[in-house]
Amino acid sequence: MTRNLVVVLLLGGALMQQTCAAMVCPGEIWPDDHGKHVQAHGGDILKLGDTYYWFGEYRSQENVRGKRYVGCYASKDLVNWQFRNEVIKSDAPFGIGPRWVLERPKVFYNKKTKKFVMYMHLDGPTNPDGGGSGYALAQVGVATCDTVDGDYTFVHNFRPLGQESRDIGQFIDDDGSAYLIFESRPTKGFFIAKLSEDYLDVEKEVCFIRAPLEGGALVHYDGLYYLIGSYMTGWAPNANQYATASRLEGPWSKFKDIALPEAKTYGSQSSMLVKVVGSKKTSVIFMGDIWKPRTQWDSRYLWMPLEIGGGKLWLPEPKPWTIDIQTGETSIP
Ligand code: GAL
C-alpha cells in the first residue's frame, strides 16, 4: 500500500468515527458509552418520559456458553446509547435444555401493575436432552421486573392463542393498547393479538394476516396501520414487504416491496418501527438487523427514517442521518 493510500484510509476512518458520534450510521459498528458495539439485536424501543430504552439480544463474545442474555441501553436522542444492564443473563428456564433460544425480546410497561413485562421468542428442541430442531417448541416466554433496567424474572412460557409462535413483534397503539405480533408457520401468517390487562398473557386474536412472512413490525401513522415483514430466509436477507389497513382488524392490502427487491432490504431484516412525534414532524424509523450468523456479536443495525404516507412506504438507501428529537425532523447531511 502506498503511503498516500494509508493516509487517505486513516483520514476516512477518523472522519467516519467523528460522523457516527453525532449521527446514526447504518451498517457500522455502533459504540455505546463504553466504546463497545451495542448488543441489542432483534430489538425494540420503549419510551419512558424523555428517555428511549433499547432492548435486544445481547450476543457478546464474552457470553457464557449455555446462557442467553438481553441487553438494555438508554438514550435521549436515539444516537448516543448508554449501556444499562444485561437485564436477562440466564441458563435455560422452564427445563427447556441447554440448546435453548431466546430471540427478539420486547418490553412493555404496564401502568396499572407498574411492572415491566418482557416477551421473547423462546425455543428449543421438544426433548431437552435430544437433537432435532432447536426451533421446535415455538413458544413465547414472559419475564417481569419492577424497574426498566433491573434483572428480569421469568414468569411463564406458552404458545400464544395455542399457536406455534416464532418471530415476535411489539405494537403499542396511540390509545396505549398493547399487542403482540407473532408468526405462525402452520397457519402461514401473522397473528396480531391483544395482551391481557396485566400484559402477562396473550388474550385475544385481533387479526390473522395470511402471508409467508416473519419479523413483523407495525406502526400507526396518519390514520393508517403499516405492517412490515420479511420472507423466511433465516439469517439471510430478503426483500421485506409491507401492507396497510385502516383498522388493525383489517382488511389488509396486498404486500408490496419496501425497497428495490434486488437490494434485499440493504442486507437487513425488519425488527421494529419507531414513531417519533415531534413539534414539527412525525418520523417513522425502520429498525432492522444486519445479521452475521457466524460472528453474531458483530451483527449490525440498519436504522433509517422511512418515506411514509398516503398508504405508501419506502426504505431509502441507507446513509448516515440525524434526528432532532424535539421537532421530529430527520436529515441526511
Ligand atoms: C430469522 C429470524 C431470526 C432468527 C433466525 C434463525 O428468520 O428472524 O430472529 O430466528 O431466523 O435462523
Side-chain angles (χ1 to χ4, degrees):
M1 219 181 311
T2 65
R3 201 161 154 252
N4 283 353
L5 187 57
V6 172
V7 171
V8 166
L9 286 178
L10 283 177
L11 279 178
L15 194 67
M16 185 60 112
Q17 247 179 7
Q18 218 179 23
T19 312
C20 295
M23 287 196 240
V24 176
C25 289
E28 298 296 326
I29 292 277
W30 199 335
D32 66 6
D33 58 325
H34 299 284
K36 283 184 169 177
H37 182 44
V38 169
Q39 294 292 332
H41 313 282
D44 86 312
I45 299 281
L46 179 71
K47 192 177 180 212
L48 293 175
D50 64 352
T51 306
Y52 292 90
Y53 293 89
W54 180 4
F55 296 88
E57 300 157 22
Y58 191 94
R59 291 180 176 271
S60 158
Q61 259 181 303
E62 283 104 60
N63 285 5
V64 174
R65 214 188 149 106
K67 287 193 194 294
R68 304 286 177 266
Y69 301 70
V70 175
C72 173
Y73 297 80
S75 173
K76 302 252 190 228
D77 59 10
L78 290 175
V79 178
N80 298 288
W81 291 92
Q82 178 195 38
F83 172 73
R84 285 295 182 87
N85 189 16
E86 290 162 7
V87 292
I88 283 193
K89 182 182 187 176
S90 174
D91 291 311
F94 315 118
I96 290 178
R99 282 180 56 215
W100 67 300
V101 171
L102 189 175
E103 287 177 346
R104 297 184 177 265
K106 313 285 169 212
V107 176
F108 299 84
Y109 176 60
N110 190 294
K111 281 189 188 145
K112 286 195 184 127
T113 62
K114 300 203 166 28
K115 293 255 183 215
F116 293 88
V117 182
M118 182 192 295
Y119 276 76
M120 65 200 81
H121 169 198
L122 199 64
D123 229 319
T126 37
N127 172 358
D129 313 311
S133 165
Y135 287 91
L137 286 179
Q139 298 178 338
V140 293
V142 177
T144 62
C145 190
D146 291 333
T147 54
V148 63
D149 56 1
D151 298 333
Y152 283 64
T153 312
F154 285 103
V155 178
H156 62 165
N157 58 323
F158 58 96
R159 282 186 172 177
L161 309 175
Q163 304 287 351
E164 287 191 16
S165 161
R166 291 188 176 83
D167 280 8
I168 58 166
Q170 170 186 44
F171 177 59
I172 299 168
D173 211 341
D174 299 334
D175 66 0
S177 304
Y179 300 87
L180 190 76
I181 307 158
F182 62 94
E183 177 266 317
S184 170
R185 231 147 274 198
T187 59
K188 299 192 171 56
F190 285 123
F191 282 93
I192 302 174
K194 194 158 187 200
L195 300 188
S196 60
E197 211 171 296
D198 60 9
Y199 290 2
L200 296 181
D201 278 294
V202 175
E203 198 171 72
K204 186 175 144 236
E205 175 181 331
V206 173
C207 187
F208 172 72
I209 304 165
R210 209 179 159 88
L213 302 170
E214 60 182 1
L218 182 54
V219 72
H220 192 197
Y221 176 81
D222 202 17
L224 264 190
Y225 292 93
Y226 293 77
L227 174 70
I228 294 188
S230 75
Y231 287 110
M232 298 186 206
T233 55
W235 302 116
N238 57 60
N240 289 194
Q241 304 286 302
Y242 79 97
T244 59
S246 50
R247 297 167 67 235
L248 262 191
E249 292 80 0
W252 285 83
S253 71
K254 276 195 179 155
F255 280 89
K256 297 181 199 132
D257 291 318
I258 72 166
L260 290 176
E262 54 272 26
K264 294 191 176 170
T265 321
Y266 302 103
S268 74
Q269 182 190 18
S270 53
S271 274
M272 178 98 187
L273 292 171
V274 178
K275 188 160 84 168
V276 178
V277 183
S279 55
K280 290 198 184 147
K281 198 183 167 202
T282 297
S283 290
V284 178
I285 316 292
F286 172 87
M287 285 174 57
D289 291 281
I290 301 176
W291 298 109
K292 301 212 178 167
R294 285 195 197 89
T295 50
Q296 282 284 10
W297 56 88
D298 189 34
S299 293
R300 308 288 172 88
Y301 309 98
L302 191 149
W303 289 18
M304 270 311 279
L306 287 171
E307 289 164 17
I308 189 169
K312 297 215 166 100
L313 177 156
W314 193 249
L315 173 68
E317 195 187 327
K319 293 204 173 98
W321 57 278
T322 56
I323 184 161
D324 180 329
I325 291 294
Q326 303 311 323
T327 65
E329 293 168 309
T330 61
S331 65
I332 299 178

